[in-house]
Structure formats: structure tokens, C-alpha cells
Amino acid sequence: MDCNLSRALIALGRRELTADDALVLDRHLAGCPACALAAQKLNALDSALNRAMNAVPIPPRLHDDLLKSAFARRGADLRRKIYQYAALAAAVLIAVGLSYGGYWRTRPVLNTNALAERVEAEQENHERVVRDWLAGQALPTHLPYEFDFRLCLFHGKGELHGRDVPVIVFASGRDTARVYLVRRNQFKTDDARFARSSLGSVEVLASADPTVLFVVTYTTERIDPFLLRRTVGQPG
Ligand SMILES: [Zn+2]
């Protein structure tokens, strides 16, 4: 493993790694003081943050803001890594292609129609992946709004008041919307209801499963920027 990959795995966080990845990472850390220090720093930061969050009763809005900025940073980090690897992979492909003469004789025609179809398929695919992921956890797969999955940035576990909660994150420009799926046995939800601050809105919505609530937060005034746009006049 090289240091770039090692840093990417460290940034991902240990809980996200497979046992194999964790083992390879540990081997690298044992022989690489620079990466070991980076991992140590991140761990210290994570546990300090966790301690701080658990020790003090934080006003809900502040807690939410902390989560929001932590999420945004992590998302930006991850995206940068992914772009770096995509660029690296492309460079390797080009190098391999250049050195392999046969490539030029058999090179495919660039088909923009096929590419457009693929983009569409990926959008549908993303929605299906999220639905499958929810179904796999016996969670309701029908979200309370018709989100535009081209804006979907992340789905996985997110932290909400110190608990791991499934969350789907959408981003539109600098704004984000998050859909948490909260089990009633995880939180006292009786008092949960719509809330709004200058920073955004929180909606609590019922799902098809009476034991699961949707908690939808968004940094915009209305949820619309994250939803599929319909042409005016089109029946909806
Ligand atoms: Zn290293």
C-alpha cells in the first residue's frame, strides 16, 4: 500500500473499512511513521469530538450545526480523494493504452448517445442502490419526497445525538438536505416536530412503517431544490 491510499483509508475512518483493508492499513502504519502520526491525530480529534459531544448537553441546533460541518468536511475530503483516484486511474488507462499498439486498431467509437443513456442509468441506479440498501435493513424504501438522486452525495450511517442512524445526504450547490431514518425505539420521539431556524428546517414525517420516522433536515428555506423538477403544467 502506498501513502496516498493509506491516507484515504485513514480519512474514511476505521469503522468503514473491511477487515482486510484494516489489516493492510495496520501493516502500512507499522512501517510508516508519517501515516501513523496522521492516523493518531485523526483518532485523537475524533475521540475529543465525541467526548465533547457526549459530555455536555448541547442545544439541539448547535449540535446539528456541528454535525453539519463535520459532515461537509468529511464529504469534501472523500470527494477529493475519489477525484484523485479517478484521475490516477484514467492516467494509468491512457498509459496502458498508449503502450499497447493493438489498442489503436480496436479503439471504440465515442458514442455520445450511449454516454447520455449511461448517465441516466446511473441516476436510476443510484436510487435503486439506496432503495436496496434501505430494504436490506428492513427500513421503508419510499422516501417522503421525490428526491433528485443526481444530487445524492452519500448514503450510510450518520451520527444523530450519539447514535448511528441511516442517513441519505443530498447536496445542491452549497446547500444540503439530509433524510435520517429514525427508529422510535432509538429516540424519544413523542415531542419531535417541525422546527425552523435561520440555518434551515427540520421536518419529522411518518413513514409506511409506524416504528420508523423520517427526520428531514435542509439548509434551504424550502425542500424544493432537492426534489425532481417537473415541467410546469405536467400532471404530477
Ligand atoms: Zn505512509
Side-chain angles (χ1 to χ4, degrees), residues 1 9 13-27:
M1 175 185 301
L9 294 182
R14 207 155 265 276
R15 282 195 303 180
E16 316 287 330
L17 302 185
T18 64
D20 282 350
D21 282 345
L23 196 71
V24 177
L25 177 61
D26 281 337
R27 265 191 221 132

Side-chain angles (χ1 to χ4, degrees), residues 1-4 6-7 28-29 32-36:
M1 175 185 301
D2 68 4
C3 289
N4 280 332
S6 147
R7 296 300 167 96
H28 180 84
L29 294 183
C32 178
C35 284

Side-chain angles (χ1 to χ4, degrees), residues 61-62 64-65 68 175-176 194-202 218-222:
R61 209 186 84 183
L62 178 60
D64 202 50
D65 292 345
K68 199 183 296 168
D175 288 302
T176 57
F194 183 85
R196 185 193 288 281
S197 76
S198 60
L199 286 160
S201 311
V202 179
Y218 43 96
T219 56
T220 43
E221 202 173 322
R222 292 159 58 95

Side-chain angles (χ1 to χ4, degrees), residues 214-233:
F214 290 112
V215 176
V216 183
T217 70
Y218 43 96
T219 56
T220 43
E221 202 173 322
R222 292 159 58 95
I223 187 92
D224 302 43
F226 305 99
L227 307 184
L228 282 174
R229 278 164 223 272
R230 293 180 183 286
T231 317
V232 178

